[in-house]
């Protein structure tokens, strides 16, 4: 292959990639730029792609229209509880599957895997009835309603078990020699050495919980206890909100996960492709 | 395996201890997965009162009512179309992007991050942005069309177009994930395999079609299964963009369930549960069929 044709083919590849990348990036650009545009700029037709003036007031208007700051806190509490508890329950279960003798271990593991095959949408109605019968859809108890069904998930157990099974058995034997108990071994030796797997599960749980929509939608009665995702969609429905204000709200809701995708990509790849890449 | 045990508790002690470690997960699964699963079947045989409380046994009446409802079959058809419109473009598009990224160009990492960006969006943030893009009056979609002299289009209000508009949004949302999965798959292809093929004179598309794509088949298989299941379960983008409209044109099975149970004061949990069982069966069947059919064609290393 001659050099000139390889240069030409490289240019073609770049051009195709850039053309593909434009529609991918555009909504993000639109959210950021729209959020700082003046309402009249964005409302002009055809809409302007660059702001003629910068208007940061959209952010404060968005916060005034819907209690977004409060909902940020709600989402943080919800995501914090679910991520911590799911990590805890998964670590314990994965430890038992990887290191302990257990009656009917294969059947027990199959039981865990079965829970992964049940679509949440198929059992969401009885879950809703249960949570509302328990009174967990009102006031601060909403936090319990939001989090309880997700305090354990078999995906984390599955992924951590894979990681624990690769743990060098000699290190564990050495710990046993020194009279190290299960929890001590788990906390002092196994977890520090399993940080990448823990981070992968943590990032995965964080993103899925932060981004939940259906469950918080049917659960929340009171604006004060709705999550950020529901708040943002309410912003879209509110009669008084202008597009610039909606986009400012979207940008706010987007920031935490955007930071994770840009800076935590290797953990995301590890967590999300665990089933796909051996 | 004696070596894998700590402390001489005796076998019984360790069996009990392992149950204790499983207990938090087992309790949650029992209350929030297995009990609701049973209750879905129970509710599907029950009539409900005005606030959705099960009040009388009706046998299979809910299923009979559902199967004689044209709206239900329309929802099934819409679900199938939606899966087709989202899975194929999102997987093929991601494959094209990843193969282009493999062309030994500089800036590969940056491009990969750019294509992964949509993954940061939740269904709510993505749908709200697209609601504005599709906005007939001020939206960017019509704005771009106006530059080439095309009249305004009702992206979400034309019955024939609304499902496609929602599919575009969904493809955009899932592309990033697919790119991440396939990139990781390409990274896992042994360098010797690629080098050997290059030495044999395979380059460009020939290399990709003979080596890269077959080597990626486990990831492609995984993506097709996962995205089909996700498509069957999609809810947020429909709720935010069209609320199932216009005239039921975008009401998928999950949305139909939601409407039966929660929409406009309807609390028909019986019929909604019957439809939930259909959803359960369809999702399980899809997983089964795809494993059965695709497994044989997939090149596993």
């Amino acid at each position: 292959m001659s050099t000139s044709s390889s240069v030409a083919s490289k240019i073609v590849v770049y051009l195709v990639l850039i053309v593909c990348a434009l529609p991918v990036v555009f909504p993000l650009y639109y959210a950021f730029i729209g959020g700082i545009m003046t309402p009249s700029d964005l409302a002009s037709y055809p809409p302007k792609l660059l702001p003629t003036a910068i208007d940061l007031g959209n952010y404060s208007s968005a916060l005034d229209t819907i209690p977004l700051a409060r909902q940020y806190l709600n989402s943080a509490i919800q995501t914090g509880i679910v991520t911590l508890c799911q990590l805890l329950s998964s670590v314990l279960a994965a430890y038992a599957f990887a290191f302990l003798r257990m009656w009917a271990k294969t059947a027990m593991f199959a039981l865990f895997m079965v829970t992964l095959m049940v679509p949440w949408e198929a059992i969401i109605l009885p879950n809703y009835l249960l949570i509302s019968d328990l009174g967990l859809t009102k006031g601060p108890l909403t936090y319990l309603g939001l989090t309880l069904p997700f305090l354990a998930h078999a995906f984390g157990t599955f992924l951590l078990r894979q990681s624990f099974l690769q743990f060098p058995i000699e290190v564990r034997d050495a710990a046993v020699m020194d009279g190290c108990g299960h929890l001590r071994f788990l906390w002092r030796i196994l977890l520090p050495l399993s940080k990448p797997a823990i981070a992968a599960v943590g990032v995965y749980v964080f993103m899925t919980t932060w981004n939940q929509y259906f469950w918080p939608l049917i659960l929340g009665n009171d604006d004060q206890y709705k999550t950020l995702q529901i708040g943002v969609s309410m912003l879209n429905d509110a009669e008084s909100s202008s597009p610039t204000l909606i986009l400012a709200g979207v940008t706010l809701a987007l920031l935490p996960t955007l930071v994770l995708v840009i800076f935590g990509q290797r953990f995301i790849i590890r967590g999300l492709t665990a089933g796909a890449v051996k | 395996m004696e070596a894998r045990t700590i402390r001489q508790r005796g076998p019984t002690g360790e069996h009990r201890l392992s149950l204790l470690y499983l207990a938090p997960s087992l309790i949650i699964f029992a209350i929030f997965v297995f009990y609701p699963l049973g209750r879905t079947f129970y509710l599907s045989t029950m009539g409900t009162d005005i606030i959705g409380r099960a009040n009388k046994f009706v046998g299979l009446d809910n299923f009979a009512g559902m199967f004689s409802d044209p709206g239900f079959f329309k929802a099934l058809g819409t679900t199938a179309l939606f899966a087709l419109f989202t899975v194929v473009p999102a997987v093929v598009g991601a494959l094209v992007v990843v193969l282009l990224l493999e062309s030994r160009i500089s800036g590969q990492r940056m491009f990969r991050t750019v294509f992964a960006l949509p993954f940061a969006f939740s269904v709510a943030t993505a749908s709200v942005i697209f609601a504005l893009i599709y906005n007939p009056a001020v939206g960017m979609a019509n704005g771009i069309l106006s530059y080439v002299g095309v009249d305004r289009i009702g992206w979400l209000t034309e019955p024939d177009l609304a499902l496609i508009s929602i599919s575009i949004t969904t493809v955009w949302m899932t592309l990033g994930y697919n790119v991440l999965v396939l990139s990781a798959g390409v990274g896992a292809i042994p360098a010797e395999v690629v080098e050997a093929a290059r030495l044999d004179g395979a380059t460009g598309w020939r290399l990709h079609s003979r080596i890269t794509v077959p080597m990626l088949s486990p990831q492609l298989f995984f993506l097709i299964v996962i995205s089909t299941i996700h498509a069957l379960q999609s809810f947020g983008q429909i709720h935010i963009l069209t609320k199932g409209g216009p005239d039921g044109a975008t009401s998928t099975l999950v949305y139909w369930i939601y409407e039966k149970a929660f929409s406009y004061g309807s609390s028909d949990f019986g019929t909604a549960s019957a439809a939930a069982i259909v959803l359960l069966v369809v999702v399980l069947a899809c997983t089964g069929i795809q494993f059965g059919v695709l497994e044989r064609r997939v090149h596993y290393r």
Side-chain angles (χ1 to χ4, degrees), chain A residues 66 230-243 245-246 250, chain B residues 124 127-132 135 239-241 243:
Chain A
I66 302 279
I230 308 304
V232 166
S233 66
M234 285 164 62
L235 210 52
N236 184 44
D237 288 335
E239 289 296 326
S240 59
S241 45
S242 71
L245 178 158
I246 296 170
V250 166
Chain B
S127 304
V128 168
I129 291 179
F130 272 86
L132 289 177
N135 184 306
H239 186 255
I240 292 172
L241 287 173
K243 303 249 185 294

Side-chain angles (χ1 to χ4, degrees), chain B residues 20-90:
Chain B
L20 194 67
Y21 278 38
L22 293 190
S25 300
L26 286 177
I27 291 169
I28 296 292
F29 294 158
I31 301 175
F32 298 107
V33 179
F34 292 113
Y35 169 64
L37 200 55
R39 204 170 172 193
T40 299
F41 282 91
Y42 166 76
L43 285 172
S44 71
T45 64
M46 297 297 286
T48 46
D49 63 16
I50 194 128
I51 56 160
R53 298 282 150 213
N55 59 1
K56 60 178 185 299
F57 179 74
V58 296
L60 295 176
D61 283 5
N62 288 325
F63 287 93
M66 179 173 76
F67 287 127
S68 61
D69 181 349
F72 172 73
F73 287 101
K74 195 178 169 190
L76 280 186
T78 306
T79 311
L81 273 183
F82 178 69
L84 186 71
F85 289 168
T86 54
V87 175
V88 176

Side-chain angles (χ1 to χ4, degrees), chain A residues 98 101 121 172 213 229 257, chain B residues 4 14 106 120 122 233 239:
Chain A
R101 279 179 294 190
E121 288 72 14
R172 189 166 181 274
Y213 185 76
Q229 305 297 330
T257 44
Chain B
R4 277 195 164 254
E14 199 172 301
S106 44
S122 67
Q233 292 172 263
H239 186 255

Side-chain angles (χ1 to χ4, degrees), chain A residues 9-21, chain B residues 92-106 108 111-112 115 186 205 208 212:
Chain A
S9 77
K10 268 196 177 157
I11 290 173
V12 170
V13 167
Y14 273 116
L15 282 179
V16 174
L17 276 174
I18 289 168
V19 168
C20 291
Chain B
V92 173
L95 181 63
V96 170
V97 165
V98 169
L99 292 185
L100 285 172
L101 285 175
E102 273 307 290
S103 312
R104 295 184 163 183
I105 52 162
S106 44
Q108 219 185 54
F111 270 116
R112 194 169 295 163
F115 284 106
V186 167
W205 290 110
H208 287 325
T212 320

Side-chain angles (χ1 to χ4, degrees), chain A residues 14 23-24 26 45 47 98-99 101 103 121 126-127 133 172-173 180 182 211 213 229 246 257 265 272 276, chain B residues 3-4 6 14-15 17 32 40 53 106 113 119-120 122 128 137-138 140 142 152 172 177 219 222 233 239:
Chain A
Y14 273 116
V24 171
F26 177 74
Y45 190 84
F99 291 114
R101 279 179 294 190
W103 283 310
E121 288 72 14
N127 269 303
D133 282 348
R172 189 166 181 274
D173 290 344
C180 183
H182 287 295
N211 289 341
Y213 185 76
Q229 305 297 330
I246 296 170
T257 44
Q265 226 185 91
L272 293 173
Chain B
R4 277 195 164 254
I6 297 181
E14 199 172 301
H15 288 305
L17 187 74
F32 298 107
T40 299
R53 298 282 150 213
S106 44
T113 303
F119 187 65
S122 67
V128 168
V138 297
M140 220 29 115
N142 279 346
R152 293 178 192 206
W172 182 85
Y177 172 70
Q219 286 78 30
F222 167 82
Q233 292 172 263
H239 186 255

Side-chain angles (χ1 to χ4, degrees), chain B residues 58-299:
Chain B
V58 296
L60 295 176
D61 283 5
N62 288 325
F63 287 93
M66 179 173 76
F67 287 127
S68 61
D69 181 349
F72 172 73
F73 287 101
K74 195 178 169 190
L76 280 186
T78 306
T79 311
L81 273 183
F82 178 69
L84 186 71
F85 289 168
T86 54
V87 175
V88 176
V91 173
V92 173
L95 181 63
V96 170
V97 165
V98 169
L99 292 185
L100 285 172
L101 285 175
E102 273 307 290
S103 312
R104 295 184 163 183
I105 52 162
S106 44
Q108 219 185 54
R109 268 179 64 117
M110 191 204 71
F111 270 116
R112 194 169 295 163
T113 303
V114 163
F115 284 106
L117 281 179
F119 187 65
F121 286 69
S122 67
V123 66
T125 48
S127 304
V128 168
I129 291 179
F130 272 86
L132 289 177
I133 290 176
Y134 289 139
N135 184 306
V138 297
M140 220 29 115
N142 279 346
I144 289 164
L145 287 184
S146 78
Y147 287 119
V148 290
V150 177
D151 269 352
R152 293 178 192 206
I153 295 176
W155 292 90
L156 299 171
T157 49
E158 295 284 340
D160 294 336
L161 194 59
L163 190 65
I164 293 176
S165 301
I166 292 181
S167 303
I168 292 173
T169 307
T170 310
V171 168
W172 182 85
M173 280 163 52
T174 46
L175 191 76
Y177 172 70
N178 294 357
V179 167
L180 283 179
V181 170
L182 291 179
S183 294
V186 167
I189 295 177
E192 313 92 75
V193 175
V194 181
E195 273 319 307
R198 279 191 204 278
L199 285 177
D200 287 346
T203 51
W205 290 110
R206 206 176 142 78
L207 176 72
H208 287 325
S209 63
R210 299 284 167 84
I211 305 291
T212 320
V213 174
M215 294 295 268
L216 279 178
S217 48
Q219 286 78 30
L220 290 169
F221 167 61
F222 167 82
L223 282 182
I224 291 170
V225 173
I226 284 289
S227 353
T228 307
I229 292 171
H230 281 174
L232 295 173
Q233 292 172 263
S234 292
F235 171 78
Q237 58 270 60
I238 298 162
H239 186 255
I240 292 172
L241 287 173
T242 59
K243 303 249 185 294
D247 195 25
T250 56
S251 182
T252 57
L253 183 53
V254 169
Y255 202 81
W256 196 83
I257 294 173
Y258 167 77
E259 282 198 314
K260 281 285 166 205
F262 297 108
S263 195
Y264 312 116
S266 159
S267 298
D268 192 352
F269 277 76
T271 308
S273 297
I277 290 173
V278 173
L279 175 73
L280 180 70
V281 170
V282 171
V283 168
L284 291 180
C286 270
T287 319
I289 291 170
Q290 283 180 321
F291 269 98
V293 174
L294 286 175
E295 187 98 1
R296 267 169 276 149
R297 295 206 203 150
V298 172
H299 167 93

